[in-house]
Amino acid sequence: MKKNRITTTNKAAETFKTDLLVYLAVEVKDKMPLCPKAVQTQVKKAWELKDFRGKTGDQLLFYPPAKAPAKRVLVLGLGPVNREEDRAAALEALREAGGRLAKACEKARAKDLVISLPAPKHLAPGIAEYPVAAEMLTEGIILGDYRFVKYKETTKKKTDYPGLAAVKLVCPEGLKPVREGVRRGRNAAFAACASRDMANEPGNGWTSADFAAYAKVLAKETGLTYRCIEKKEMETLGMGGILAVNQGSSVPPRMVILEYRPEKKTETILLVGKGLTFDSGGISIKPSAGMEDMKYDMCGGAAVLSAMAAVAEEKPAVGVVAIVPATDNMSGSNAVHPGDIIRHFNGVTSEVINTDAEGRLILGDAMAFGIKTYTPTCVIDAATLTGAVIIGLGHHYTGLVSNNDALVRQLEAAGSTSGEPVWRLPLDKNFKKQIESKVADIKNTGGRPGGTITAAAYLSNFVDNTPWAHLDIAGTAWDFTEKTYIPKGPSGTATRTFINLIRNWETDTVKAVKKSKGR
Ligand code: BES
Ligand code: MN
Ligand code: ZN
């Protein structure tokens, strides 16, 4: 769907010619569902017949008389969303409804969709506003309408559903704030879909050069500042981590940087994303079963670059810098060996025990460089860093490790309002001890116990006292918990969490983060 094809109107919903006209209904215990007047007669009948109760996902589809302009009318159940006390859960119910609508459109082969927004009096207090409903439905529809067909050529059929062409949201009042809601939902969802597109590209379709090219085009279109550190400069700067990981590769490494500066001089948030375009494990080679999934090892990098597209559009008051260290991890006669000792950008030396623990090597250089260059208020990294996080948290939570309680609270809030929950794990000297090396300052693995945390312990060597949070998205970047708006394959996770974190970033947040204790 094109960005400008999501529109708003205050004309009556039933006046539009459309493939699918949608009304939403709220489940009420032992009573008729709450719904707009326009469909009350039908809903009452269906409810009396016990065909429709407004439960989550319940659908009542009918075909209006020939003189009505809509081809189909759908009433979609939202569940008891008027009684939902947990705001994040209420937002999620609307987002999931959006995802369901995208699926319903595919089933009906509807090219366009008109939705009558639910009345605030039918919604829980925390979300009882037209703009909030508009934002969540927009987000859910766009995310749910996502498909990746770029490489479908000879198997592509003319009859394949191409996705939605247009969506219209109907609201009786206050169109301006509703448009703002649509804009937020649209920016967040388009950014997450851009992340999915990058991730869906195979290792031979998305290399470090593609990361650089994407960022360069984005900067040109939006006014962001683009910079790319090439291999030569990395050598001069002493970025021994990313250079070591790249040793076996035929594609040079790149450190891609996008910078957003608001007009007034302010504080900066630094985002760093692991851009490992294919992880074979290197000399410590991975088993072949499932190795193809390691094209997704760049999802952290995708998330930070895509989030910058929304930042450029929304122009927040806080500055944001995104850095993506990008390379693949290959074996071969030039590849880094187990036992090799490398020297990172900040002077820390490291013994490479396992060449498959490569993410931390490229992130270390990127974080130390970013902190030295941009002196940010805080740094947040996102990385598909450890298989261990999947053992601990499954595919349902992103692992979070941080040295700053206030920053943790910000990320927990941004994550849950985005439907991307995070769960904090501890980090103390015992984990740091696991990565002490006999011959260098540190080593790159700490054994199996606490693998997600020892990986974070490694990263902690590159942040000094800067408030820092690490998101291990190995369990959520793909195969994420099944939801109506999350497809199989890459989810785009962390993109919307970053966008919402930045939207909520206020002067008070800066103060709290600066005051908050490190651990
Ligand atoms: N990219 C992988 C982590 C990963 C594994 C992500 C499975 C998603 C699914 C990372 O580079 C890696 O290989 N980590 C190793 C670290 C170990 C060698 C200390 C791991 O988790 O096994
Ligand atoms: Mn690896
Ligand atoms: Zn990896």
Side-chain angles (χ1 to χ4, degrees):
M1 191 164 29
K2 294 213 178 70
K3 265 196 162 174
N4 59 1
R5 297 303 305 275
I6 311 153
T7 52
T8 51
T9 178
N10 51 18
K11 288 204 194 98
E14 57 276 13
T15 59
F16 292 98
K17 198 168 172 260
T18 175
D19 289 337
L20 189 67
L21 170 59
V22 173
Y23 297 94
L24 299 160
V26 176
E27 181 186 2
V28 189
K29 197 167 181 273
D30 299 328
K31 282 201 179 133
M32 186 185 137
L34 300 167
C35 65
K37 273 208 183 69
V39 284
Q40 261 169 15
T41 323
Q42 291 88 344
V43 167
K44 185 155 186 275
K45 220 172 180 176
W47 176 69
E48 281 165 355
L49 289 167
K50 298 196 166 55
D51 285 358
F52 182 83
R53 283 192 287 164
K55 285 171 101 66
T56 309
D58 266 6
Q59 301 193 3
L60 174 60
L61 180 71
F62 60 90
Y63 301 86
K67 63 178 192 299
K71 284 192 193 140
R72 305 173 185 83
V73 176
L74 175 72
V75 187
L76 176 69
L78 289 176
V81 75
N82 59 333
R83 301 173 63 88
E84 182 56 77
E85 279 165 25
D86 176 352
R87 183 168 189 267
L91 294 173
E92 182 70 358
L94 291 174
R95 206 184 281 116
E96 283 240 51
R100 252 180 211 105
L101 289 179
K103 297 287 167 290
C105 287
E106 173 161 23
K107 196 168 168 222
R109 315 187 52 74
K111 290 212 173 61
D112 80 303
L113 171 66
V114 174
I115 310 169
S116 173
L117 287 179
K121 65 177 182 203
H122 292 173
L123 298 173
I127 58 161
E129 287 169 55
Y130 281 116
V132 174
E135 176 182 346
M136 289 303 116
L137 286 166
T138 303
E139 208 171 284
I141 290 167
I142 297 167
L143 291 169
D145 188 48
Y146 178 81
R147 43 187 51 75
F148 185 77
V149 291
K150 184 175 160 190
Y151 294 103
K152 287 276 182 201
E153 284 169 23
T154 55
T155 53
K156 197 167 147 189
K157 292 188 211 76
K158 277 222 172 70
T159 50
D160 285 349
Y161 178 65
L164 274 164
V167 176
K168 199 182 281 297
L169 301 179
V170 181
C171 170
E173 59 181 56
L175 276 192
K176 211 172 159 216
V178 167
R179 280 199 189 111
E180 188 48 36
V182 169
R183 217 169 69 94
R184 285 166 58 100
R186 186 196 70 187
N187 291 344
F190 270 95
C193 290
S195 289
R196 292 174 183 176
D197 277 343
M198 293 179 203
N200 269 315
E201 285 288 354
N204 63 349
W206 195 264
T207 67
S208 68
D210 297 282
F211 262 126
Y214 177 88
K216 196 172 182 181
V217 170
L218 184 66
K220 202 163 175 209
E221 283 170 2
T222 59
L224 295 173
T225 306
Y226 164 80
R227 178 177 175 192
C228 180
I229 301 175
E230 311 267 353
K231 187 171 174 181
K232 270 250 158 56
E233 200 180 350
M234 289 179 188
E235 285 163 355
T236 322
L237 290 167
M239 294 182 165
I242 187 167
L243 286 167
V245 173
N246 182 255
Q247 263 171 234
S249 176
S250 56
V251 183
R254 287 167 177 96
M255 193 139 346
V256 180
I257 306 175
L258 281 175
E259 213 178 314
Y260 162 74
R261 294 268 163 238
E263 267 168 36
K264 273 195 203 151
K265 201 171 178 299
T266 57
E267 305 268 332
T268 303
I269 298 176
L270 174 62
L271 305 178
V272 180
K274 175 178 174 184
L276 215 295
T277 57
F278 183 76
D279 183 9
S280 73
I283 298 292
S284 316
I285 197 162
K286 287 183 181 295
S288 52
M291 202 202 270
E292 68 278 9
D293 278 356
M294 284 300 126
K295 69 175 178 179
Y296 298 141
D297 211 14
M298 35 55 72
C299 284
V304 306
L305 283 196
S306 305
M308 289 308 275
V311 166
E313 174 113 15
E314 298 185 3
K315 302 195 171 33
V318 64
V320 188
V321 175
I323 305 186
V324 180
T327 175
D328 52 4
N329 181 25
M330 302 299 285
S331 63
S333 56
N334 282 324
V336 66
H337 314 153
D340 282 2
I341 296 176
I342 60 170
R343 191 170 184 281
H344 279 290
F345 172 79
N346 65 348
V348 171
T349 59
S350 170
E351 184 187 5
V352 178
I353 301 294
N354 188 320
T355 66
D356 197 11
E358 84 298 338
R360 60 201 80 182
L361 304 187
I362 69 173
L363 289 168
D365 284 341
M367 293 189 343
F369 173 81
I371 287 169
K372 183 165 181 221
T373 312
Y374 302 101
T375 46
T377 317
C378 68
V379 52
I380 309 168
D381 74 274
T384 45
L385 207 59
T386 65
V389 79
I390 311 175
I391 305 301
L393 300 174
H395 293 289
H396 311 305
Y397 284 80
T398 287
L400 166 62
V401 178
S402 174
N403 63 5
N404 189 287
D405 296 348
L407 187 55
V408 166
R409 282 192 290 276
Q410 289 299 311
L411 276 161
E412 284 172 344
S416 61
T417 47
S418 309
E420 298 180 337
V422 300
W423 198 265
R424 188 184 193 178
L425 302 167
L427 172 59
D428 65 27
K429 62 177 191 315
N430 293 314
F431 295 101
K432 295 182 184 173
K433 200 157 178 253
Q434 278 179 250
I435 56 162
E436 282 173 5
S437 163
K438 287 201 183 78
V439 291
D441 296 331
I442 50 176
K443 59 182 178 184
N444 81 332
T445 59
R448 272 168 61 84
T452 301
I453 307 176
T454 52
Y458 190 95
L459 299 180
S460 73
N461 286 282
F462 304 91
V463 296
D464 275 328
N465 293 321
T466 309
W468 156 66
H470 159 62
L471 298 173
D472 193 329
I473 58 172
T476 51
W478 70 98
D479 288 351
F480 192 20
T481 319
E482 199 179 333
K483 298 179 189 190
T484 60
Y485 64 89
I486 305 279
K488 291 210 164 64
S491 62
T493 200
T495 313
R496 289 178 302 110
T497 296
F498 282 141
I499 294 169
N500 281 318
L501 178 100
I502 293 161
R503 284 171 178 167
N504 300 338
W505 198 260
E506 283 159 10
T507 328
D508 287 352
T509 323
V510 178
K511 278 190 205 145
V513 166
K514 283 190 171 166
K515 230 173 56 195
S516 182
K517 278 270 168 298
R519 263 200 225 178

